[in-house]
Amino acid sequence: MFTIENQVSGKIFQTDGTDSILDDALIHGLNFPYGCQKGSCGKCKATIIEGEVGYEGEIPSGITPEEVADGMALLCQCRAKSDISLVVAELDSVADIEVRTLPCKVEKIKRLNHDVIQVFLKIPGSESLQYLAGQYIDLIHPDFDPRAFSIANAPTNTSLIELHVRLVEGGKFTHFVFNELEEKSLLRIEGPKGDFFFREDSKKPVILVAGGTGFGPIKAIIEHAIANKLNRQIYLYWGVRDEVDFYMDLPSQWANDYDNIHFIPVLSEPNDEWQGRTGFVHESVLNDFDDLTGYEVYACGPPKMVKSAADTFINQGMIKDNFFADAFVFAYTGNNNE
Ligand SMILES: Cc1cc2nc3c(=O)[nH]c(=O)nc-3n(C[C@H](O)[C@H](O)[C@H](O)COP(=O)(O)OP(=O)(O)OC[C@H]3O[C@@H](n4cnc5c(N)ncnc54)[C@H](O)[C@@H]3O)c2cc1C
Ligand code: FES
C-alpha cells in the first residue's frame, strides 16, 4: 500500500497502485478535478512533489514531455509506484465544476415503497459526471420540460447516478417514471446544478434535515462524509408522514456503525404503534438544540419544510451563512402544461 498526500488540503489516502490515483482519490471522498478521464483534456493534472508515478503504455496526449519533466502527472492515467506527495486544487465550489449535458441509460429501476422509486442512470463509455455531494441534475426527456432531481449517491466516478423519485399527485413526469420508464431507456441529463453541497472546510457539527425524498442528497452527503472519514458530529433528522414513508434503512445502519452519526426519525402523521418523535421535522431540531449558533444546517425537501426550518432556526441562534437548503419546488409555474 502507498500513501498519497495532497499538500494543498493535507488530505491523505491509501492506494495499492492498481487503479489510477484519480480513481482512488474519488473513492476516498477527495474532490480531485477531472474531465475526460481518457488522458486527453489535462484537467486532472497535478504536480508530484515527491514519489514516483507510472503510466501503462505511452505518456498520454493531455500532458507535454516538458510538463512531465517538470514533475507533473495526469492523475486519471497514472498509478502510484511509491508513497506520493502531490499538489492539486481540490474542488470546493460549484464554480469549479462545468455544467454538462450528457446522454445516459436507465440502468436499473427499483420500487422502494408505495410512492418512491430508485432510478440508476449510467453514463455511457468512460464518461462520468463530476459533482459535489448534495447537488442535483435536470432530467431531460423529449416529451417533457426538464425536471430537477437530486443525486442520491456520493461523487465517486462509478458513472452511475442514483435518484430517488417521489410520485407527485397529478405530476406528469413522475407518473411517467413510475408507469412507463423502462430499464435501458435513453435520457439526457444536465448538471451538476445547485449550491446545496457539503462544506468540507468547516469543523462545525452538522444538522441534516430531510423531508421525504429530501433524504436523497442528504444520503449523498453522509456517504461522502463517511468516505472522507470526517469525524464531525452529524445529526440526521428525517421527517415523513407515516412509518411506511421511510423508504430506506440506511440511517439506522449508519447510526449503529458510526459513533458520530445520530439518527432521529420524525413522523407528522404517526400510526398508533409509533413510539418515536412526532410533529414537523424542524420542530424536533428546535426541541433538541436550544442554541444553534455553533452548527451548520443542511435542509432539503418540500419548500414548506425548508422555509419553516430557515425561519425558526434563525430565531434559535442559527447563523444565516451556516444554513444551506434545497427546496423541491415543482417545475410547473402556472403557464406550462408539460
Ligand atoms: C433542486 C430540486 C431538486 C429536486 N430533487 C428531487 C428529488 O431528489 N426527488 C424528488 O422526488 N423530487 C425532487 N424534486 C422535485 C421534482 O423536481 C418534482 O417533484 C418534479 O419536477 C415533479 O414533476 P411532475 O412532472 O411529476 O409534476 P408536474 O406535472 O410538474 O406537477 C407538479 C404539481 O403541479 C400540478 N400541476 C401540473 N400542471 C398543472 C396545471 N396545468 N394546472 C394546475 N396544476 C398543475 C400537479 O398537479 C402537481 O401537483 C426536486 C426539485 C428541485 C427544484
Ligand atoms: S481527466 Fe482528462 S486527462 Fe485526465
Side-chain angles (χ1 to χ4, degrees):
M1 275 289 177
F2 304 123
T3 301
I4 314 290
E5 183 192 6
N6 183 9
Q7 286 195 354
V8 180
S9 64
K11 289 182 185 163
I12 286 176
F13 62 94
Q14 306 274 316
T15 172
D16 62 7
T18 310
D19 295 322
S20 73
I21 295 180
L22 176 71
D23 279 354
D24 279 325
L26 296 173
I27 282 166
H28 287 89
L30 280 75
N31 293 322
F32 277 22
Y34 66 87
C36 67
Q37 292 188 269
K38 288 181 189 139
S40 53
C41 74
K43 281 193 184 159
C44 62
K45 224 173 270 173
T47 305
I48 309 293
I49 305 293
E50 252 182 77
E52 194 192 336
V53 300
Y55 296 93
E56 284 178 351
E58 305 264 297
I59 305 270
S61 61
I63 192 164
T64 63
E66 292 76 24
E67 286 173 323
V68 174
D70 282 348
M72 299 190 86
L74 285 184
L75 299 187
C76 75
Q77 299 298 310
C78 70
R79 280 146 184 83
K81 300 287 177 203
S82 69
D83 289 348
I84 286 173
S85 180
L86 50 77
V87 168
V88 62
E90 285 169 43
L91 305 176
D92 59 3
S93 141
V94 286
D96 297 336
I97 304 180
E98 186 191 351
V99 176
R100 303 163 75 199
T101 304
L102 292 166
C104 62
K105 191 174 82 181
V106 179
E107 182 79 3
K108 196 169 164 212
I109 301 179
K110 186 177 170 196
R111 191 84 180 225
L112 295 178
N113 73 357
H114 64 108
D115 70 349
V116 179
I117 238 171
Q118 185 183 36
V119 178
F120 286 97
L121 303 174
K122 178 142 181 61
I123 299 167
S126 59
E127 294 262 22
S128 62
L129 183 78
Q130 181 146 41
Y131 59 95
L132 298 175
Q135 286 193 285
Y136 72 94
I137 49 150
D138 274 336
L139 215 45
I140 301 169
H141 184 284
D143 297 342
F144 302 90
D145 281 346
R147 299 292 199 264
F149 291 97
S150 304
I151 305 173
N153 53 339
T156 57
N157 66 342
T158 59
S159 76
L160 263 194
I161 292 178
E162 176 185 347
L163 307 176
H164 298 170
V165 179
R166 187 178 71 81
L167 183 65
V168 173
E169 209 182 315
K172 292 199 166 62
F173 186 69
T174 53
H175 272 263
F176 165 78
V177 171
F178 269 67
N179 301 315
E180 291 174 52
L181 187 68
E182 290 178 347
E183 290 177 1
K184 299 196 170 55
S185 311
L186 295 176
L187 296 167
R188 278 187 306 139
I189 55 172
E190 188 178 270
K193 295 190 170 184
D195 57 5
F196 183 72
F197 66 91
F198 191 49
R199 272 58 176 180
E200 289 172 38
D201 46 1
S202 165
K203 298 215 169 359
K204 292 191 172 66
V206 186
I207 298 173
L208 304 171
V209 190
T213 43
F215 173 68
I218 299 281
K219 170 178 172 287
I221 286 175
I222 295 182
E223 285 178 350
H224 182 68
I226 292 171
N228 230 321
K229 296 194 172 54
L230 290 181
N231 56 8
R232 292 158 70 182
Q233 293 298 312
I234 296 177
Y235 302 89
L236 165 61
Y237 289 78
W238 188 9
V240 294
R241 283 197 186 131
D242 200 353
E243 234 175 319
V244 289
D245 298 321
F246 288 122
Y247 58 84
M248 278 191 163
D249 294 333
L250 273 174
S252 307
Q253 287 173 30
W254 291 326
N256 273 335
D257 294 348
Y258 302 96
D259 289 344
N260 63 322
I261 302 183
H262 315 275
F263 174 45
I264 304 95
V266 185
L267 295 187
S268 60
E269 296 172 17
N271 55 46
D272 291 342
E273 281 106 61
W274 178 249
Q275 306 279 319
R277 301 287 186 89
T278 57
F280 292 123
V281 62
H282 71 282
E283 293 169 346
S284 269
V285 178
L286 292 168
N287 285 336
D288 290 351
F289 297 89
D290 289 341
D291 183 3
L292 289 165
T293 315
Y295 294 85
E296 209 165 68
V297 181
Y298 295 81
C300 193
K304 229 171 146 179
M305 181 213 87
V306 171
K307 186 169 183 327
S308 303
D311 292 348
T312 56
F313 291 0
I314 288 278
N315 295 334
Q316 214 140 296
M318 184 187 70
I319 296 165
K320 214 171 156 205
D321 286 351
N322 291 338
F323 182 71
F324 310 99
D326 239 356
F328 283 3
V329 287
F330 293 133
Y332 171 68
T333 54
N335 57 11
N336 73 53
N337 226 350
E338 317 220 297

